[in-house]
Amino acid sequence: MKKRKSNIELLRIVMILMVILNYYLNGDMGGLLNHTQSNTPNYYLGRLLYSMCVVAVNVFVIITGYFSYSKKEVKVSKVIKLILIMIFYGVLLCIIAIMFNKLNITHLEISMSNIVENIFSQWFVIIYAALYLNIPFINLIINKISKKQFEILLIINLFFFSIWPTFFTNVTSKDAGYGIVNFVILYFIGAYIRLYGVNFSVNSLWIYIITTLCTVGLNLVLDVVIKTNSWSNRAWSYSSIFNIIGSISIFLLFKSMRLPYNKYINQLATYTFSVYIIDVNTVFNKVWYRDLFHCYKYYNSSLMIINAIYSTIGIYIICIIIEFIRRKIFYKIDMLINKINYKISTQ
């Protein structure tokens, strides 16, 4: 079997670190964006960092399109495994959250509702599973249309589901890019890059920097000038045209790297999905950021960026250790799931 080069695997690692950092900044999780004083260095730095990292989820989907564009069948066992991992960590982290008094069990009905929602509410898992199971059918379109037709398809959908909701109204995209429509568009983009390539007239890094600054500017205009929270969310929408272009540029940047196969990078990249599942747990993530790494002490501190880096790397390492232990304990179960032969196929 040909060994996969490590440039894209390194990209996966960088993107999951960006996800962890974004949740450090997230107003409802780590809390920084909701608690920094206005017009202070941390106020602007937090927005800059968030705008830099918001591309991460999009990049994961682009990677999927890049590698899966020619598949005529997919294994159902992969989706089963993803959902079981989601449920496992949902249950485990709820139990830990109760131990840390982060989940009130006094009112049983409310608590059970929170627990059930927390276990099954990993939106990325569900939408990604839906995308994955549709890959053979999406690929029928990709492999039967010409380059020109593919470009027209991308232009139409990017205009209505990315450009339009970025600058005008969100009538065409009410999910801020969290839904299947944006995932399919990103999948198309990844497949197009694999089939035909994309070459920007300037360096991909500069495109990424420019789109990041556009995202920051849009956020400040909508949040500070217009002072409408519903509008400010558009800047950080996954379907924002700036974030989509930024996702493409950072993908192309890593794609162009000449990084040969490295078994350590490739092995570490296999932990990406589980790290994501552990970190984004809505009940438990405050334990990470606020109780374990005390990020609330640094909202308005000059040491905020140090704490942010320390927390991001620390959480990443802890999540890998947790997933390593899970793999050791459930190795035989994972092998049994992998043996499920049922496939969704267009052949």
Side-chain angles (χ1 to χ4, degrees), residues 51 54-55 58 62 157-168 170 172-173 175-178 182 185-186 189 211-219 222 231-248:
S51 300
V54 74
V55 300
N58 284 354
I62 290 174
N157 284 281
L158 284 171
F159 177 79
F160 282 105
F161 296 105
S162 180
I163 297 172
W164 190 274
T166 300
F167 296 108
F168 303 107
N170 62 354
T172 57
S173 179
D175 57 18
Y178 284 70
N182 189 52
I185 293 171
L186 292 165
I189 290 170
T211 53
T212 296
L213 293 176
C214 288
T215 299
V216 174
L218 182 60
N219 173 263
L222 298 176
W231 274 75
S232 67
N233 291 333
R234 293 189 189 185
W236 290 328
S237 166
Y238 290 153
S239 58
S240 162
I241 190 61
F242 299 126
N243 293 331
I244 287 182
I245 294 174
S247 306
I248 297 170

Side-chain angles (χ1 to χ4, degrees), residues 119-273:
I119 293 171
F120 296 98
S121 67
Q122 303 298 343
W123 71 271
F124 182 84
V125 180
I126 304 304
I127 301 300
Y128 186 85
L131 173 71
Y132 179 80
L133 294 176
N134 278 287
I135 281 176
F137 308 104
I138 297 172
N139 289 348
L140 280 177
I141 299 172
I142 291 171
N143 293 288
K144 286 189 177 182
I145 59 178
S146 66
K147 180 182 179 183
K148 184 177 180 180
Q149 290 170 330
F150 204 162
E151 289 169 352
I152 293 171
L153 174 67
L154 285 172
I155 290 169
I156 291 171
N157 284 281
L158 284 171
F159 177 79
F160 282 105
F161 296 105
S162 180
I163 297 172
W164 190 274
T166 300
F167 296 108
F168 303 107
T169 67
N170 62 354
V171 66
T172 57
S173 179
K174 294 181 179 294
D175 57 18
Y178 284 70
I180 190 66
V181 173
N182 189 52
F183 272 42
V184 171
I185 293 171
L186 292 165
Y187 183 93
F188 278 146
I189 290 170
Y192 183 90
I193 293 172
R194 183 64 179 269
L195 285 169
Y196 305 111
V198 173
N199 293 310
F200 289 131
S201 58
V202 295
N203 188 284
S204 297
L205 178 60
W206 281 109
I207 296 291
Y208 171 64
I209 292 171
I210 291 168
T211 53
T212 296
L213 293 176
C214 288
T215 299
V216 174
L218 182 60
N219 173 263
L220 290 174
V221 168
L222 298 176
D223 196 30
V224 178
V225 179
I226 299 178
K227 296 183 179 180
T228 306
N229 290 332
S230 60
W231 274 75
S232 67
N233 291 333
R234 293 189 189 185
W236 290 328
S237 166
Y238 290 153
S239 58
S240 162
I241 190 61
F242 299 126
N243 293 331
I244 287 182
I245 294 174
S247 306
I248 297 170
S249 62
I250 200 167
F251 175 80
L252 293 176
L253 180 66
F254 278 80
K255 177 180 174 291
S256 65
M257 289 181 178
R258 295 183 178 180
L259 186 63
Y261 169 79
N262 183 297
K263 66 177 182 179
Y264 299 108
I265 291 176
N266 287 25
Q267 180 62 29
L268 200 58
T270 65
Y271 287 84
T272 298
F273 180 83

Side-chain angles (χ1 to χ4, degrees), residues 85 88-89 92 96 267 271 274-275 278 288 316-334:
I85 290 173
F88 170 80
Y89 281 121
L92 176 65
I96 297 174
Q267 180 62 29
Y271 287 84
S274 294
V275 171
I278 298 169
W288 286 125
Y316 180 63
I317 293 172
I318 293 170
C319 289
I320 289 174
I321 293 171
I322 293 171
E323 172 58 10
F324 178 81
I325 294 170
R326 187 202 68 81
R327 289 183 184 186
K328 290 294 184 182
I329 295 173
F330 296 101
Y331 173 78
K332 291 185 178 180
I333 295 176
D334 287 345

